[in-house]
Amino acid sequence: MIDLKTPSEIEAMRPAGVFVSEVLTALKQHAAVGVNLLELDELAHGMIRERGATSCYIDYHPSFGASPFGHVLCTSVNDAVLHGLPHDYTLRDGDLLSVDFAASVDGWVSDSALSVVVGTPREEDLRVIEATERALEAAIGAAVTGNRLGDISAAIGAVAADYGYGVNTQFGGHGVGREMHGAPHVPNAGRAGRGLPLRPGLVVALEPWFMTGTDEIYTDDDGWTLRSQDGSRGAHSEHTVAVTEDGPVVLTARA
């Protein structure tokens, strides 16, 4: 069931969006050569405690996860492209890091992600990050009343095609509200003009993620981390977006 939010409920979601944005900004600034992934997770955990927020990840245990997640961040490095389980790994020069974070504030959830290169960048890493960011912008631009869900998916897929990347549709965007994941599922490729009509009050997390060499993934031995099948690197960008009469509102916009 798709739960459309009232204008007042969308306003009530703004504090969660601001908080998630603040945490990701702090993590981006802190990520550097020599920093451990567990240190990043603890930084986010401390900000959650200080804010009185609730992690959406720590007890999360969907059917595709081997066990409750147990951490407050997804930290995916290099060929780890989604759901990276934080572990004892120290970031090295040139690592491509994607961080995904969701939290609940006053009962409302926001979800967002970003990718950065630690230290000396590779051109191909900057390119795939740029592609996900451009795809996210295109998706947000398509999230208007009168369009359909397929218009969002098609906008993402078109950017991927422009960059020469394939698209994996197993994992994509999703509804957000009182819980982190809800209907509808928003694939990262699709056909324009198809699917659910976009109506005011729909709130979705839009999250293009691309890999440079494949569209196939496998699950790491930790039971959570998804890696590219061919070892190529990937990037991930995400915002929580509300469809309104006045156009899309990005609840997790970063300063």
Side-chain angles (χ1 to χ4, degrees), residues 129-139 155 159 162-163 208 237:
I129 292 172
E130 177 187 80
T132 64
E133 292 174 344
R134 280 194 55 205
L136 181 55
E137 290 173 2
V159 173
D162 284 346
Y163 280 80
S237 295

Side-chain angles (χ1 to χ4, degrees), residues 18 69 89 104 164 185 189 192 242 244:
V18 170
F69 192 73
Y89 176 82
S104 174
H185 172 63
T244 77

Side-chain angles (χ1 to χ4, degrees), residues 15-95:
V18 170
F19 174 66
V20 166
S21 172
E22 290 173 346
V23 171
L24 284 174
T25 297
L27 292 167
K28 182 177 181 179
Q29 293 171 345
H30 194 76
V33 175
V35 172
N36 194 285
L37 297 182
L38 295 176
E39 184 180 336
L40 293 177
D41 192 68
E42 181 52 39
L43 172 61
H45 209 159
M47 293 181 73
I48 288 171
R49 289 190 293 264
E50 183 178 351
R51 180 61 175 81
T54 302
S55 169
C56 293
Y57 291 170
I58 200 161
D59 295 321
Y60 185 50
H61 190 188
S63 59
F64 58 80
S67 60
F69 192 73
H71 294 272
V72 302
L73 293 178
C74 292
T75 51
S76 304
V77 181
N78 298 332
D79 67 315
V81 292
L82 283 181
H83 305 164
L85 190 68
H87 60 286
D88 184 14
Y89 176 82
T90 300
L91 292 169
R92 302 168 184 171
D93 186 49
D95 277 346

